């Protein structure tokens, strides 16, 4: 039971390297990357009423988005895009 | 000025003497003249002595002045060097960004609820005042500590459950976990962690729940546990799809009555195994959740998850407690949501053999703003309906139908009302009706 689990965990830990290789291999015309505002619209009112960017300042969003990245188990890249959007809109 | 006058005086004296000496040299020197001359010479000697002293003093003053000048110029050089060093150090170490300093990243958020309700056979009353702060400490972009409390007021009761005067405040720790994002695909959570058994306990704050009480079947699962979890998410394609995963170990349930050596059904303690007490079973439980999130356009998505946990629960280590949960959540536009969980648990006992408490809940809700009418109050209303059931595997079975509404004063200030019809039978049957009003605020 523990052996396959451990192997899985190790494989995941090695993922960033594998992903880097993938990137090099992607064709020249990748699909349009999903934007921060779209990701915000997709995720941020799934579990609770939407929290508006202007409700908090940039530093607060940095903390809350880390909290949400963990709580909603969001992909790191998506969390970063959403944070960028929130901080831009928060404005200060 | 003083030096100069003395020098002039001495010079004048010298000249006078010079003029006198030849004058007297050529003739025979009278004793009187000689005496006058020697008197003058000795006076001149004194003047010279004085002059020497003054000169020495002046030298001293000049030396001191020179020293001071030296020190000042050293200070100036030091200052220059310091300025240079500071300039260099700034290029090497950036001045701390306020957003990155640990001491500034402490925030308190959370929620508060007041509930008023009535169930069959009881008087209507304020049944709950709850303050649930969450403390967030962020060290950097990857490290967060989060601790959530539930602070509630309760009527006092005697140990046997009968009435006692007065009230007491209960503070309970809902979770206290350190989250460390190891890389983009793995995050370690350790401490009193929320268990990813289904999704309910991770999405349960008062301003998130559209109904004021929990599905009955959640009673058969622990909400949190002392342990550690690895979790992460893998994006699939470019449309926002993702697969999420979590594996964990936690102390798991224990038997609340460890002295009699037996593990009877009534001894199962789902949430109590939180410390190091001798005699409790030695091995922690293991569990995990795997889920697939599929958005097909903004506000339209489906999430499907499967999770489970298994491990020893009895002190004599002969019995296992296990759980399996299927969860789903569906959004069709910004106004419609449906979600639910099917929960099955199993545990072995010394007195009743194997038991399997189980049940399910399904909840749908619709925000009336979706009707696109220009009605002010209606547009802030959401209608909610839930069906849930629960079978405790010891003779009590309950079906419950709940209808209610949520009125949104703002996105985090909610006024909810619910009416519940219950069909319950067995030794622990619940009353047939109940209603409640709840004011929730997320801050």
């Amino acid at each position: 039971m523990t052996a396959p689990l451990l192997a899985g965990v190790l494989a995941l830990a090695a993922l960033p390297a594998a992903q880097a290789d993938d990137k090099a291999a992607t064709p020249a015309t990748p699909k349009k990357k999903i934007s921060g505002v779209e990701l915000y619209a997709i995720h941020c009112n799934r579990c609770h009423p939407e929290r508006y960017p202007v409700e908090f300042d940039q530093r607060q969003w940095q903390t809350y988005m880390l909290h949400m990245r963990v709580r909603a188990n969001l992909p790191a890249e998506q969390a970063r895009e959403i944070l960028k959007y929130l901080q831009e809109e928060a404005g200060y | 000025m003083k030096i100069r006058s003395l020098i002039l005086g001495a010079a004048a004296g010298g000249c006078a003497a010079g003029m006198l000496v030849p004058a007297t040299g050529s003739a025979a020197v009278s004793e009187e003249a000689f005496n006058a001359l020697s008197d003058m010479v000795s006076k001149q000697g004194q003047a010279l002595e004085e002059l020497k002293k003054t000169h020495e003093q002046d030298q001293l003053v000049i030396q001191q002045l020179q020293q001071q000048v030296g020190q000042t110029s050293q200070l100036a050089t030091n200052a220059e060097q310091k300025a240079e060093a500071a300039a260099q150090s700034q290029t090497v170490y950036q001045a701390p960004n306020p957003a990155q300093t640990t001491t500034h990243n402490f925030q308190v958020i959370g929620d508060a609820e007041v509930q008023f309700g009535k169930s069959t056979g009881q008087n209507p009353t304020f049944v709950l005042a709850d303050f649930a702060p969450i403390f967030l400490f962020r060290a950097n972009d990857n490290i967060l500590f989060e601790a959530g409390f539930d602070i509630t007021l309760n009527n006092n009761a005697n140990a046997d459950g009968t009435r006692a005067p007065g009230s007491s405040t209960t503070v309970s720790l809902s979770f206290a976990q350190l989250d460390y994002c190891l890389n983009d695909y793995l995050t370690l959570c350790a401490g009193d962690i929320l268990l990813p058994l289904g999704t309910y306990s991770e999405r349960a704050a008062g301003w998130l729940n559209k109904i004021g009480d929990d599905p009955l079947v959640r009673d058969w699962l622990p909400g949190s546990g002392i342990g550690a979890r690895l979790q992460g998410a893998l994006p699939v394609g470019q449309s926002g799809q993702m697969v999420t995963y979590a594996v964990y170990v936690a102390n798991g349930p224990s038997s609340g009555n460890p002295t009699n050596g037996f593990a009877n059904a009534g001894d199962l303690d789902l949430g109590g195994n939180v410390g190091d007490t001798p005699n409790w079973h030695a091995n922690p439980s293991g569990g995990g959740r795997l889920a697939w999130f599929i958005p097909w356009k903004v506000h339209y998505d489906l999430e499907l998850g499967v999770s489970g946990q298994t491990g020893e629960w009895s002190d004599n280590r002969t019995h296992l407690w296990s759980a399996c949960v299927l969860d789903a959540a569906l959004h069709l536009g910004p106004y419609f949501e449906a979600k639910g969980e099917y929960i099955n648990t199993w545990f072995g006992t010394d007195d009743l053999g194997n038991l399997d408490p189980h049940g399910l809940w399904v909840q749908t809700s619709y925000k009336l703003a979706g009707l696109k009418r220009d009605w002010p109050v209606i547009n802030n209303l959401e209608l909610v309906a839930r069906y849930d059931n629960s079978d405790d595997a010891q003779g009590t079975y309950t079906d419950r139908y709940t209808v209610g509404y949520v009125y949104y004063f703002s996105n985090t200030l909610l006024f909810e009302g619910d009416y519940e019809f219950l069909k319950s039978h067995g030794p622990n049957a619940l009353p047939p009706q109940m209603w409640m009003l709840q004011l929730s605020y997320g801050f």
Side-chain angles (χ1 to χ4, degrees):
Chain A
M1 157 87 185
T2 44
L5 202 93
L6 209 72
V9 167
L10 286 177
L12 279 169
L15 258 172
Q19 278 269 313
D21 288 352
D22 279 1
K23 255 180 221 152
T26 39
T29 51
K31 261 201 194 166
K32 186 181 136 291
K33 213 175 115 199
I34 195 157
S35 68
V37 60
E38 281 171 301
L39 288 164
Y40 169 81
I42 288 174
H43 288 300
C44 300
N45 65 353
R46 274 203 281 138
C47 301
H48 50 68
E50 178 175 348
R51 301 302 297 258
Y52 306 108
V54 290
E55 280 184 64
F56 303 107
D57 67 29
Q58 296 181 347
R59 205 180 72 208
Q60 288 169 324
W61 273 124
Q62 205 170 345
T63 301
Y64 298 155
M65 265 315 293
L66 182 55
H67 190 207
M68 287 305 112
R69 169 179 164 186
V70 176
R71 182 53 59 91
N73 211 349
L74 298 174
E77 181 58 34
Q78 294 191 9
R80 283 192 288 266
E81 287 299 317
I82 297 172
L83 176 62
K84 227 188 291 169
Y85 162 73
L86 290 167
Q87 288 187 326
E88 268 165 27
E89 292 293 306
Y92 69 100
Chain B
M1 202 52 170
K2 198 175 143 205
I3 307 171
R4 198 183 287 176
S5 61
L6 275 169
I7 291 172
L8 286 175
C15 290
M19 284 189 303
L20 274 176
V21 172
T24 51
S26 56
V29 180
S30 76
E31 196 173 333
E32 219 172 303
F34 176 79
N35 281 346
L37 195 66
S38 83
D39 199 28
M40 187 186 274
V41 167
S42 85
K43 273 187 187 151
Q44 270 185 355
Q46 270 174 10
L48 267 173
E49 223 19 67
E50 248 175 76
L51 199 65
K52 224 166 117 193
K53 259 194 215 157
T54 325
H55 176 67
E56 274 168 9
Q57 279 173 356
D58 289 346
Q59 257 342 77
L60 218 72
V61 170
I62 290 171
Q63 257 180 19
Q64 280 173 353
L65 283 173
Q66 272 176 345
Q67 247 175 17
Q68 280 177 6
V69 169
Q71 280 170 357
T72 318
S73 75
Q74 200 174 348
L75 279 178
T77 332
N78 282 353
E80 207 173 296
Q81 278 172 354
K82 274 185 194 161
E84 211 169 286
Q88 274 173 1
S89 77
Q90 267 177 8
T91 55
V92 179
Y93 308 104
Q94 295 230 319
N97 172 349
Q100 289 166 353
T101 45
T102 318
T103 47
H104 290 105
N105 290 309
F106 164 53
Q107 265 136 35
V108 184
I109 44 113
D111 55 270
E113 283 80 38
V114 185
Q115 217 176 71
F116 185 84
K118 176 184 176 349
S119 58
T120 315
Q122 291 189 342
N123 296 319
T125 180
F126 284 98
V127 284
L128 177 82
D130 180 14
F131 169 46
I134 297 174
F135 295 75
L136 296 176
F137 302 83
R138 184 174 58 78
N140 58 31
D141 283 345
N142 299 314
I143 299 175
L144 178 75
F145 177 76
E146 43 172 320
F149 297 86
D150 243 316
I151 304 171
T152 49
L153 271 174
N154 306 83
N155 287 344
N156 281 345
N158 296 314
D160 61 1
T162 54
R163 277 176 65 171
S167 68
S168 51
T169 305
T170 314
V171 180
S172 63
L173 189 63
S174 311
F175 56 88
Q177 62 181 61
L178 182 77
D179 307 323
Y180 181 18
C181 302
L182 301 169
N183 60 37
D184 279 7
Y185 303 94
L186 271 188
T187 294
L188 173 71
C189 306
D192 183 11
I193 54 172
L194 287 168
L195 299 177
L197 281 172
T199 56
Y200 195 82
S201 55
E202 287 188 295
R203 305 177 187 178
W207 58 282
L208 276 65
N209 283 343
K210 295 172 183 178
I211 292 178
D213 58 9
D214 298 336
L216 296 167
V217 62
R218 288 300 305 191
D219 285 352
W220 312 132
L221 293 177
S224 70
I226 308 282
R229 170 173 90 218
L230 279 171
Q231 67 172 46
L234 258 185
V236 179
Q238 299 290 334
S239 63
Q241 262 190 54
M242 63 177 180
V243 171
T244 64
Y245 39 85
V247 289
Y248 64 91
V249 284
N251 278 354
S254 65
S255 49
N257 186 10
T259 43
N260 64 7
F262 291 104
N264 292 339
D267 297 337
L268 178 69
D269 186 4
L270 288 173
N273 193 2
V274 294
D276 172 25
T277 307
N279 291 331
W280 286 4
H281 64 77
N283 291 331
S285 298
R289 176 171 183 261
L290 189 67
W292 189 21
F293 174 70
I294 315 147
W296 57 95
K297 66 183 176 182
V298 168
H299 299 312
Y300 289 76
D301 55 69
L302 175 68
E303 181 184 11
L304 296 170
V306 54
S307 49
Q309 176 180 321
T310 187
E312 294 160 1
W313 74 273
S314 58
D315 286 354
N316 55 19
R317 302 176 58 181
T318 50
H319 296 302
L320 290 180
W321 180 89
S322 310
C324 175
V325 183
L326 303 176
D327 63 79
L330 172 74
H331 293 102
L332 297 175
Y335 311 108
F336 178 81
E337 176 185 71
K339 58 186 179 184
E341 290 177 333
Y342 172 74
I343 296 167
N344 210 337
T345 67
W346 301 266
F347 67 111
T349 66
D350 285 336
D351 57 345
L352 298 176
N354 288 335
L355 299 177
D356 67 333
H358 61 273
L360 62 84
W361 64 274
V362 186
Q363 178 178 313
T364 58
S365 53
Y366 182 73
K367 292 193 173 94
L368 296 183
L371 298 173
K372 305 251 167 22
R373 300 296 165 89
D374 208 11
W375 299 325
V377 172
I378 303 286
N379 275 350
N380 294 337
L381 268 179
E382 179 171 18
L383 300 182
V384 193
R386 177 181 71 189
Y387 165 74
D388 68 322
N389 67 29
S390 164
D391 182 342
D392 75 352
Q394 293 177 64
T396 302
Y397 180 83
T398 306
D399 269 320
R400 182 169 67 171
Y401 301 85
T402 307
V403 288
Y405 70 89
V406 183
Y407 183 81
Y408 292 89
F409 290 106
S410 78
N411 56 347
T412 59
L413 180 60
L414 285 58
F415 181 51
E416 307 174 350
D418 299 295
Y419 198 91
E420 301 185 336
F421 311 87
L422 297 96
K423 275 191 261 164
S424 190
H425 51 80
N428 295 313
L430 294 166
Q433 281 176 46
M434 131 117 172
W435 60 262
M436 72 189 132
L437 299 170
Q438 175 171 301
L439 199 60
S440 311
Y441 179 47
F443 46 82

